[in-house]
Amino acid sequence: MTGSLPRHIARVRMPLLVAGLALAFSTLFHDADWLGSIGMAVVLGMLVLFFVPLGQVRREPVGVHPPVAGRWMAVNSPADKTPSHGTHEFGQTYAVDLVHRPDDGSGWKAVRGAWPVARRPEAFPSFGRPILAPADAVVVRAVDGQRDHWSRDSWPGVIYLFLVEGVVRGLAAAFSPRFLLGNHVVLDLGDGVYAALAHLRRGSVRVRPGQRVAAGEPIAECGNSGNSSEPHLHFQLMDSPRAATSLGLPFAFAFRADGAEHYGVPKNMQVFTTATSTGASIKEHG
């Protein structure tokens, strides 16, 4: 694990960036130009630090139960690179996106062209699939009620998602993670490990804060809420229940791919099924 100072700096990068932007824009409403100068200095400093892997946690993976069941594909997998989503912010260093792939081969496609610009979430096989607790845990946060928006998987949709919606949601997430995660559940797995399961279907979250859940227990359904291009599960482990100031933690689970049993994380674009075993518990591999 990295040293204490880098970890502390990494935790406050996003809050400081938002504070700097607020100071910079404050000059539009106040005569104090020095506020804007300080704000821009903070913004520039934080943008530089965004590209420095401060605070990356290096440790043995935490063993968890697969958060899905059936045939799925990994996208943006930490098995190929870290940070898997291109940033260490919001505890995403080792995060993975999981997309349901039925036996008929339908499912995820990187970009579907320019038309249709967007499709209803119900058009995707991942939508409504059960999401499972990755370990015996206690619910820390359960957010529901946000709509499942139409897809952003066309070229116009992808451009809009990354250049407009994603930027706005990312900054707003410094105040509330729901802008980025959408409907989501955060679980306390014990020993300072927390799991976030995001982009859940509106109205499907069936757990409440303080509730105890068992590994493999259905807790919600896959949806398309928050910063999401199409229905999928975003799964990550963190060292804090607050995504905006957390550091990502590596994890591993049992799965089957290419005719063999594996323990780890499926590679990017690798189709897998949950292993015949019930999955490793956090007690065994934490």
Side-chain angles (χ1 to χ4, degrees), residues 5 9 39 52 58 91 98 103 111 117 128 132 160 216 219 243 253 275:
L5 181 59
I9 295 175
V52 178
R58 303 183 187 279
L98 301 177
D103 291 337
V111 181
V117 174
L132 314 177
Y160 167 72
I219 59 175
F253 56 79

Side-chain angles (χ1 to χ4, degrees), residues 11 16 37 48 96 112 122 126 138-139 145 234 277 281:
R11 291 186 193 283
L16 283 179
S37 299
V48 170
V96 68
R112 300 175 187 272
E122 293 85 358
S126 296
V138 177
V139 179
H234 175 97
S277 62
S281 76

Side-chain angles (χ1 to χ4, degrees), residues 64-126:
V64 296
H65 186 283
V68 293
R71 191 171 187 268
W72 293 72
M73 183 175 73
V75 182
N76 300 319
S77 172
D80 295 272
K81 67 171 185 176
T82 54
S84 58
H85 285 58
T87 177
H88 296 282
E89 302 308 313
F90 301 106
Q92 296 184 90
T93 300
Y94 300 98
V96 68
D97 293 329
L98 301 177
V99 182
H100 181 49
R101 291 295 302 270
D103 291 337
D104 61 8
S106 62
W108 189 87
K109 188 176 181 180
V111 181
R112 300 175 187 272
W115 190 264
V117 174
R119 295 187 294 161
R120 293 181 179 276
E122 293 85 358
F124 296 84
S126 296

Side-chain angles (χ1 to χ4, degrees), residues 29 32 53 89 94 113 143 157 191 272:
F29 308 99
E89 302 308 313
Y94 300 98
V143 177
D191 298 324
F272 70 95

Side-chain angles (χ1 to χ4, degrees), residues 229-270:
S229 59
E230 71 167 69
H232 71 282
L233 173 67
H234 175 97
F235 176 74
Q236 65 185 48
L237 294 189
M238 315 174 290
D239 68 349
S240 165
R242 294 171 292 277
T245 56
S246 68
L247 303 179
L249 301 177
F251 59 88
F253 56 79
F255 64 95
R256 185 174 182 82
D258 303 321
E261 299 282 344
H262 301 270
Y263 182 74
V265 182
K267 296 179 181 179
N268 196 45
M269 310 299 291
Q270 184 175 32

